[in-house]
Amino acid sequence: MADKKSLSDLAALTQEPAAAEAPAPVAETTEAAAPAADEAPAAPQPPVQEAAPLREQQLDKFGRAYATGRRKDAIARVWLKPGSGKIEINGREQEVYFARPTLRLVINQPFGVAGREGAYDVVATVVGGGLSGQAGAVKHGIAQALTRYEPALRTVVKQAGFLTRDSRAVERKKYGRAKARRSFQFSKR
């Protein structure tokens, strides 16, 4: 029972291993010890945590990583493989399919965060929704596929929020209202 420790002993727990590992300093001359006394004591270093175990790389028989991305009503199937940075959506280049530059920016965000611009070729098929939803779905799929090809990038992509499916969707229309929340024009008489 005495060997159990609680979180209240955290400060003591973090200092015990450091004290056990570091050998006792050898006493030096007083001249060398004097400047050390003038310096502020160093802040205790936080304990080094072991990196979380990486997930396994998930590839198909062609050496590609596959993932599904979703946004609004759009669903994107994405295959990722090392290449020159070519992105093909529904058999067309990204410049042709997503003519708006903002949509192309959206689908390239995961590569920018991970620092892998131009390192992978992407082939995607997208169905449903409009262009904005489809771009979001491709972005979600690319982020998922990137973490399956390079599991070490998972923390970076996850912190940017690209692995989470954006659950916002159009609110349904209600009866007695013009739209979801808009009322009909009020007539006093």
Side-chain angles (χ1 to χ4, degrees), residues 10-163:
L10 186 59
L13 289 174
T14 56
Q15 292 171 358
E16 284 175 3
E21 292 172 5
V26 178
E28 297 179 9
T29 62
T30 56
E31 296 168 3
D38 293 339
E39 296 175 7
Q45 295 294 327
V48 178
Q49 295 179 352
E50 294 181 20
L54 290 177
R55 296 167 182 243
E56 287 186 23
Q57 188 182 42
Q58 299 174 7
L59 302 178
D60 63 6
K61 62 183 177 183
F62 301 109
R64 305 174 301 183
Y66 169 78
T68 305
R70 291 185 172 86
R71 169 84 170 97
K72 294 187 180 181
D73 281 340
I75 300 171
R77 296 185 303 155
V78 177
W79 289 270
L80 187 97
K81 64 179 180 179
S84 59
K86 183 177 144 197
I87 298 177
E88 186 179 297
I89 296 135
N90 289 350
R92 291 188 273 176
E93 292 292 320
Q94 68 169 334
E95 291 82 13
V96 176
Y97 195 84
F98 292 123
R100 277 186 275 168
T102 53
L103 298 179
R104 290 197 299 272
L105 269 171
V106 166
I107 63 173
N108 286 308
Q109 279 178 332
F111 294 125
V113 167
R116 299 291 191 269
E117 297 94 344
Y120 291 99
D121 287 345
V122 176
V123 176
T125 58
V126 196
V127 292
L131 286 177
S132 177
Q134 287 186 351
V138 171
K139 175 180 94 167
H140 186 228
I142 287 173
Q144 297 271 8
L146 195 58
T147 58
R148 291 187 182 156
Y149 200 91
E150 281 190 71
L153 296 176
R154 183 172 174 83
T155 54
V156 177
V157 177
K158 190 172 178 70
Q159 285 174 350
F162 296 149
L163 295 182

